[in-house]
Amino acid sequence: MTIEEFYNAVGGSYASVKELFLTDERIRKYVLKFKTEGSYQKLMDAVASGEPKAAFEAAHAFKGVAGNIGLTRLFTAASDLTEQLRGSQEPADPQLVEKIREYYAEVQENILKL
């Protein structure tokens, strides 16, 4: 699978990340780092804690990581959760969390094909 095919498969923005990183080799390097960088697990741990402030901070950080490497669909889902939690005393919306899990699994599955 090429890096462009990867972005098409995961609902990402290959064109925007190509502008930023310039070469497919650099893009691949950062996508592969995403597999183990840790912000997803921090988000899931924060959501599980039921603490809205911690979940907000983790969702915000995860949104940034996904956005920086052009994972648009995952970025949008994390952004939706971030906004739901912003200033809230309510726990994370399970439907929004499930979207993130689904999209994250899709990204991880496709990383293995690179």
Side-chain angles (χ1 to χ4, degrees):
M1 170 179 272
T2 68
I3 198 71
E4 186 171 4
E5 290 169 336
F6 166 81
Y7 274 88
N8 289 334
V10 301
S13 176
Y14 173 75
S16 67
V17 81
K18 180 79 172 192
E19 277 185 34
L20 181 63
F21 293 111
L22 305 176
T23 69
D24 285 359
E25 292 77 27
R26 287 188 69 196
I27 297 168
R28 182 184 302 270
K29 173 184 171 183
Y30 287 100
V31 167
L32 293 174
K33 282 185 178 187
F34 180 75
K35 183 166 176 50
T36 58
E37 65 77 39
S39 64
Y40 173 78
Q41 190 58 54
K42 287 179 186 174
L43 172 57
M44 292 300 116
D45 291 346
V47 166
S49 78
E51 175 55 47
K53 184 173 176 13
F56 167 78
E57 290 170 0
H60 192 272
F62 183 70
K63 175 182 81 165
V65 171
N68 285 342
I69 60 170
L71 299 174
T72 308
R73 186 167 35 211
L74 192 54
F75 168 82
T76 300
S79 182
D80 290 346
L81 181 61
T82 299
E83 292 311 311
Q84 182 259 313
L85 291 165
R86 188 181 301 278
S88 177
Q89 297 303 315
E90 298 297 317
D93 180 326
Q95 291 178 332
L96 296 176
V97 173
E98 187 54 37
K99 274 187 185 179
I100 291 171
R101 282 188 179 116
E102 177 185 327
Y103 297 155
Y104 182 80
E106 179 181 55
V107 167
Q108 293 296 345
E109 180 182 311
N110 280 284
I111 285 174
L112 297 174
K113 297 176 184 177
L114 287 174

